[in-house]
Amino acid sequence: METKRNIAIVCGGDSSEHDVSLRSGQGLYSFFDKERYNIYLVDVKGTDWHVDLQDGNIAQIDKNDFSFMLDGKHVYFDYAYITIHGQPGENGTMQGYFDLINMPYSTSGVLVEAMTFDKYVLNNYLRGFGINVADSILLRRGEAYDEEEIEKRLGMPVFVKPAADGSSFGVSKVKNADQLAPALRVAFMEADEVMIEGFLDGTEISQGVYKTREKSVVLPATEVVTENEFFDYNAKYNGQVKEITPARLAPETAEEVAKTTSRIYDILHANGIIRIDYIISKDKDGKDKVNMLEINTTPGMTATSFIPQQVRAAGLDIKDVLSEIVENQF
């Protein structure tokens, strides 16, 4: 019998979504094939990196080689499944560490993670490949801005959001120019750079995709219906939302969204499962227009999160999907 690979589910992180990430870690722990792999949960917060052992004890991670001691023996990992929402797992920092110690991991590489984490950079990069994105303006802390200019360029309403933050914190929908200043204050509490983005009216769609050497799997899209002004923290985590999988789209629109999802994955040369959020708006002729909103490279992985829902809707078993993703790198 060959020895089982040791897999670290790396969760936690330093953002306001630390606890949400722990829930994703628990979800992944329950999904992984335990007969095939030894699975350990690694909680990362600041410089405290430790393994949460099943008996309730913890073991410190040695950052020199990402190993830990168990019953007097070193345990070395073969693979890191990163499910940190926000930094350092979604912005390239953790990926750089794993590159340095030569450890394969589940996400894209340093550049793509850094780029997808910064919504403004990502939008402008993908726009160059012909992907539709909302127009936006970047403001740095302390920079002067002209409310009238912003309104003239982007129209109203606009979204004000931290440019580089994986979460729904600090986001406001602004309906007139005099609400800009308070919205910017809130966003600057979360980040040093804030993005003001033109409002796209339409249906919000979220679609997962992963590729291996053998296959390309675009999962069924989910439609997000919320009574809230937008898909905010309450809608996301406190259930104030209806999620419909597969999304109610015209067949040709569904096909275009799937093609766009697959193409973006290839443009970025992504790795593992990513989730792309879209707004389907109408053009002036009333035809559906597919606009990319943002990319999530460490999507939520609790049983009720989008990706597990979409995997079930596709008739796949999440256990097999995770094994395929891991084995693709060996």
Side-chain angles (χ1 to χ4, degrees):
M1 171 67 200
E2 56 178 314
T3 54
K4 292 180 176 181
R5 296 196 207 282
N6 294 329
I7 294 186
I9 296 173
V10 185
C11 53
D14 302 322
S15 82
S16 27
E17 293 194 85
H18 179 271
D19 295 357
V20 178
S21 165
L22 294 188
R23 296 210 289 273
S24 284
Q26 295 290 351
L28 281 162
Y29 188 89
S30 71
F31 300 148
F32 258 108
D33 187 341
K34 316 276 190 316
E35 284 172 19
R36 188 168 186 174
Y37 303 112
N38 299 317
I39 308 290
Y40 298 93
L41 275 171
V42 178
D43 184 350
V44 166
K45 187 160 189 171
T47 54
D48 173 21
W49 298 14
H50 62 262
V51 182
D52 287 326
L53 297 167
Q54 285 308 294
D55 61 8
N57 287 317
I58 66 170
Q60 292 303 320
I61 287 277
D62 180 345
K63 296 190 192 73
N64 289 301
D65 56 11
F66 202 64
S67 66
F68 69 100
M69 298 297 285
L70 185 62
D71 304 328
K73 287 206 262 310
H74 266 106
V75 179
Y76 295 99
F77 285 109
D78 299 296
Y79 187 89
Y81 198 102
I82 302 172
T83 191
I84 291 173
H85 310 317
Q87 37 203 359
E90 211 171 16
N91 63 350
T93 307
M94 202 81 203
Q95 288 77 8
Y97 164 79
F98 286 128
D99 285 346
L100 285 173
I101 63 165
N102 238 345
M103 168 91 58
Y105 51 84
S106 60
T107 66
S108 308
V110 174
L111 176 64
V112 168
E113 291 298 318
M115 196 158 67
T116 51
F117 191 67
D118 189 315
K119 299 180 180 88
Y120 185 80
V121 169
L122 178 72
N123 282 10
N124 285 288
Y125 180 72
L126 288 178
R127 187 184 280 123
F129 289 89
I131 303 291
N132 299 324
V133 291
D135 193 14
S136 57
I137 292 169
L138 185 71
L139 281 184
R140 295 196 167 89
R141 189 188 298 287
E143 207 168 36
Y145 59 91
D146 180 333
E147 288 164 3
E148 279 173 22
E149 281 293 299
I150 291 171
E151 183 167 16
K152 206 161 86 186
R153 174 158 155 198
L154 300 179
M156 282 289 158
V158 293
F159 278 113
V160 174
K161 47 178 119 171
D165 188 10
S167 84
S168 331
F169 290 97
V171 181
S172 312
K173 184 176 175 183
V174 169
K175 294 177 178 172
N176 52 52
D178 56 13
Q179 293 176 344
L180 264 174
L184 286 166
R185 270 199 301 278
V186 169
F188 277 122
M189 280 159 70
E190 292 283 331
D192 290 330
E193 295 190 342
V194 168
M195 172 164 143
I196 307 170
E197 187 176 57
F199 173 67
L200 295 167
D201 195 16
T203 307
E204 183 156 346
I205 299 291
S206 194
Q207 185 166 48
V209 53
Y210 72 96
K211 301 192 182 197
T212 64
R213 287 184 290 270
E214 274 72 53
K215 58 179 160 182
S216 163
V217 181
V218 180
L219 297 167
T222 299
E223 179 181 341
V224 184
V225 186
T226 177
E227 298 304 306
N228 299 27
E229 276 282 4
F230 59 98
F231 189 48
D232 61 5
Y233 188 85
N234 278 327
K236 238 184 218 180
Y237 301 118
N238 299 332
Q240 297 171 5
V241 66
K242 282 213 300 281
E243 294 160 12
I244 301 162
T245 310
R248 299 168 298 184
L249 294 171
E252 56 275 20
T253 306
E255 194 179 320
E256 194 191 335
V257 173
K259 279 215 312 245
T260 306
T261 297
S262 180
R263 184 162 170 250
I264 290 173
Y265 195 97
D266 293 342
I267 289 169
L268 295 174
H269 200 67
N271 179 45
I273 302 178
I274 69 171
R275 201 189 79 222
I276 307 182
D277 299 341
Y278 299 95
I279 294 278
I280 313 298
S281 61
K282 297 278 186 209
D283 67 15
K284 54 185 187 307
D285 305 322
K287 286 215 290 288
D288 282 351
K289 181 180 177 189
V290 178
N291 308 280
M292 198 276 313
L293 205 53
E294 59 181 84
I295 297 181
N296 201 316
T297 58
T298 61
M301 286 304 240
T302 64
T304 56
S305 299
F306 288 136
I307 294 295
Q309 276 184 53
Q310 293 176 10
V311 167
R312 285 194 295 275
L316 302 171
D317 185 340
I318 187 99
K319 185 172 78 176
D320 302 333
V321 169
L322 293 173
S323 297
E324 283 170 21
I325 285 167
V326 171
E327 294 307 318
N328 189 52
Q329 280 166 275
F330 291 99

